Amino acid sequence: MPAITLPDGSVRVFDGPVTGTTVAASIGPGLAKAALAMEVDGQLQDLSREIESDARLRFVTRKDEQALELIRHDCAHVLAEAVQALFPGTQVTIGPAIENGFYYDFHRNEPFTPEDFPAIEAKMREIIARNAGFERVVTTRHEAMALFEEKGEKYKVELIRDLPRGETITLYRQGEWVDLCRGPHMRGTGDIGDAFKLMKVAGAYWRGDHRNAMLSRIYGTAWRDRKELDAYLHQLEEAERRDHRKIGKEMGLFHLQEEAVGSVFWHPKGWRLYRTVEGYMRRRLDEADYQEVKTPQLLDRRLWEASGHWEKFRESMFIATVEDESEKDRVLALKPMNCPCHVQIFNQGIRSYRELPLRMAEFGACHRYEPSGALHGIMRVRAFTQDDAHIFCEEHQIAAETVRFVELLSSIYRDLGFDSFRVKFSDRPAKRAGDDATWDRAEGALKQACETAGVDYVLNPGEGAFYGPKLEFVLRDAIGRDWQCGTLQVDFVLPERLDAEYVAEDGSRKRPVMLHRAILGSFERFLGILIEQHAGRFPLWLAPVQVVVATIVDDAAPFAREAAAALQKAGLSVSLDLRNEKINRKVVDHIDQRVPVLAVVGRREAEERSLVLRRLPGREQETVPLAQAVARLAEEAAAPDLRVATA
RNA sequence: GCCGACAUAGCUCAGCGGUAGAGCAACUGAUUCGUAAUCAGUAGGUCCCCGGUUCAAAUCCGGGUGUCGGCACCA
């Protein structure tokens, strides 16, 4: 006699086991029509499942966010059926719902192309129109394997073989087509609706392992209605406009070319942006008691052997040798990181516990031979500059240093326009240095520090550095891709390997703990994200060209020059537009160039010694006497850390 | 690195076996203009590289390089 408690608190009692469909019908025809699935004691299930004992029940309708995942998952099944109908011999593998949509991985000798999409989508619509019910079939491992074996579905057979013993094996049937699936699903293919679209084809390794076969993946997006779909597609277009590679070109910030794959050519405006951020970072680090250093680019392999990098990362290091006969045995490597260098500085002389925590910072240029497929604009490059620092400290100082670091990072991110970010905690990887006891201590210390700092993190198992666990501070780019920017890594291994030590209070020699940390991560990556975050329309203090002084007539040129000089003297980045063009044209050009402030000078202004200020791309304008304009803009253009606090 | 697509003027792109095109930018001249594109003219290209097919290749084929979308990688 199951008693079903509904979200409004009402209870319905049934004589025996009852399906969600029946319960919905007993409540009313409207709900019976709208219910797509149900949540039984918090667990999402098919509507057709029987409820045998007392339970809390909630129906999922199209209005629920949860419907999205069901629609996407169902859509993946329909895609697979459509593909197998159109391309016989194609094997199915897996097809989950993901953020914004779904994908399905197929094995087929011929890859799919986007030209196949119209036919596949048409077939999908056909299947959806047929509205076959999703039928859940509980089966045995043996039967399931026999079924897929017979169909020639090698990948499914492998999946079933690897399912944990004792797990219920279920199939879902939609008409004639059947897939191995845990469910749940909606009532039938008709519940999917028509708000879906196939987006792209891609290669993907079977089970995400590069040693396995390359499968052919089809990505799709699916929504609850056309309006949502259109909004999503529109949002994608908007995101493309923010792409740092596009904006970088449009604003003339940087370029990349074949002769220096993975290295950035910074143009004057891009470099100014870089320097603004670098200058800001330098001040923040000085203020936070870091000591800046500069260390060599090229170092003998001996150092990398001692640090352990030679053994683990040699294939991703750039190696340099010279022709000179007497030097022929010397192998140098471009530094892929700064840590061993910083230990060399730490190791000069004898350190005392009184010097700890010692925070050593460097804007360190590093080179890594990244896999060609990993390169991405200026976000993933082979030559980059880290805002690196190493904190040499005692074990008991880890927590306090972590708290300090998180506060510094949060404040800097906020100043740069990032109010939120995600934190991942990555623990010991399979390929690692150091014994388990050391790892236990390192992970424990970092976890405890997170608690003290009040950091909410997501566990990222097995993703730590080879020498220690790490926190990753993740920012999202315009296209929705996540990038690790900031990081904090606890390291007990490198000080040991490179023999760093200090004299403790009791006179004994001890190993310091090393905290590797970066806030921006690399300037290249961070600037890429910064460009996308602001869509190239930077706040005044970051803008590479802050003010353009534009003339209306040639007679205004002398005063325009004078005004530009005055603004420049006040520390602003100014450019003069004396071109023989109409003011309308100049306005358009500087909006395109994403200049934040346009100062227009005509005959009137030249006489009155004033500027007409206009915030681009806005339309409002204001006439301001030159001296006042200079003072006002200079104040506004001050970096956040240099601003005079006003009540 | 793997799967797929793409590579033509500074930029955005058209041309897809028969002597290389457009718009914008650039340059020259005219115009001196009051806030979202003034007019006219000029110049600009080993059609990514190497090889092949062909009477003829930007175009077709093979190899390379780079870029893009994913996957894998990310000390």
Side-chain angles (χ1 to χ4, degrees), chain A residues 233-301:
Chain A
L233 295 177
H234 181 71
Q235 184 201 320
L236 282 185
E237 279 173 33
E238 285 297 308
E240 261 172 54
R241 280 190 254 272
R242 294 180 160 245
D243 194 308
H244 75 281
R245 293 165 295 192
K246 197 172 154 69
I247 292 177
K249 214 178 261 177
E250 286 168 1
M251 293 179 70
L253 301 176
F254 57 81
H255 87 271
L256 299 157
Q257 71 182 49
E258 258 188 69
E259 287 76 6
V261 174
S263 302
V264 184
F265 287 79
W266 287 103
H267 294 11
K269 283 167 68 180
W271 189 242
R272 181 174 284 277
L273 174 65
Y274 186 115
R275 283 196 307 154
T276 302
V277 174
E278 186 186 50
Y280 165 78
M281 287 304 293
R282 181 168 281 131
R283 292 191 304 271
R284 295 302 307 261
L285 291 176
D286 285 347
E287 187 188 36
D289 293 323
Y290 283 80
Q291 305 180 52
E292 188 176 329
V293 298
K294 196 74 182 171
T295 63
Q297 283 310 304
L298 278 169
L299 295 112
D300 197 286
R301 65 181 272 183

Side-chain angles (χ1 to χ4, degrees), chain A residues 320-559:
Chain A
T321 53
V322 290
E323 297 273 314
D324 191 326
E325 192 53 25
S326 64
E327 290 278 304
K328 71 178 176 11
D329 293 330
R330 189 191 292 277
V331 176
L332 302 167
L334 274 171
K335 70 174 168 187
M337 50 177 14
N338 308 297
C339 2
C341 295
H342 291 185
V343 177
Q344 304 314 305
I345 294 180
F346 183 87
N347 283 355
Q348 297 295 306
I350 296 167
R351 300 285 179 181
S352 155
Y353 73 96
R354 292 174 198 276
E355 294 177 72
L356 307 186
L358 189 154
R359 308 183 189 91
M360 197 183 292
E362 175 172 9
F363 297 130
C366 298
H367 290 79
R368 295 178 189 173
Y369 183 69
E370 301 285 9
S372 57
L375 301 175
H376 178 89
I378 64 172
M379 307 261 232
R380 184 83 182 269
V381 285
R382 288 180 176 156
F384 53 94
T385 304
Q386 296 178 319
D387 64 318
D388 204 1
H390 295 92
I391 302 172
F392 297 87
C393 64
E394 301 190 87
E395 205 168 326
H396 68 87
Q397 293 170 324
I398 294 175
E401 284 303 308
T402 300
V403 174
R404 265 179 68 106
F405 173 71
V406 172
E407 276 166 8
L408 181 64
L409 175 139
S410 310
S411 157
I412 288 171
Y413 278 16
R414 215 175 307 119
D415 279 354
L416 292 167
F418 299 94
D419 291 321
S420 70
F421 50 86
R422 296 187 301 136
V423 184
K424 292 200 257 182
F425 185 106
S426 302
D427 62 11
R428 66 192 77 185
K431 190 174 158 185
R432 61 175 181 259
D435 56 36
D436 285 355
T438 307
W439 274 90
D440 288 343
R441 286 209 327 275
E443 286 171 1
L446 195 56
K447 268 186 190 153
Q448 197 213 324
C450 279
E451 270 169 44
T452 316
V455 174
D456 268 333
Y457 59 81
V458 179
L459 197 65
N460 201 13
E463 296 294 321
F466 80 87
Y467 49 71
K470 62 178 179 181
L471 292 179
E472 295 173 42
F473 298 84
V474 176
L475 293 174
R476 185 164 281 199
D477 72 11
I479 314 168
R481 283 185 273 221
D482 286 336
W483 296 92
Q484 181 201 306
C485 291
T487 184
L488 175 73
Q489 312 175 1
V490 180
D491 182 2
F492 289 96
V493 173
L494 207 58
E496 181 76 38
R497 291 212 180 209
L498 296 179
D499 199 26
E501 56 182 26
Y502 66 94
V503 180
E505 204 170 352
D506 61 7
S508 67
R509 305 229 161 186
K510 287 195 170 157
R511 295 266 176 237
V513 176
M514 236 176 128
L515 302 179
H516 306 243
R517 42 106 296 165
I519 291 174
L520 309 181
S522 90
F523 278 83
E524 288 75 7
R525 174 175 297 181
F526 194 87
L527 290 175
I529 292 184
L530 191 69
I531 290 166
E532 300 197 351
Q533 172 77 6
H534 296 287
R537 298 192 188 287
F538 299 104
L540 195 61
W541 76 279
L542 285 171
V545 174
Q546 296 169 314
V547 186
V548 168
V549 179
T551 50
I552 297 173
V553 290
D554 285 347
D555 290 350
F559 178 64

Side-chain angles (χ1 to χ4, degrees), chain A residues 4 6 12 14 16-40 45-52 57-60 133-136 185-188 191:
Chain A
I4 310 283
L6 298 164
R12 277 164 192 260
F14 293 85
V18 63
T19 65
T21 315
T22 309
V23 180
S26 80
I27 296 170
L31 183 62
K33 206 170 149 203
L36 301 172
M38 62 183 175
E39 216 178 66
V40 180
Q45 290 189 354
D46 303 339
L47 221 45
S48 59
R49 291 288 290 278
E50 285 193 334
I51 305 168
E52 290 171 4
L57 175 67
R58 192 174 74 80
F59 289 102
V60 176
F134 282 108
E135 187 196 338
R136 181 174 185 268
H185 282 277
M186 298 186 290
R187 296 166 300 189
D191 285 337

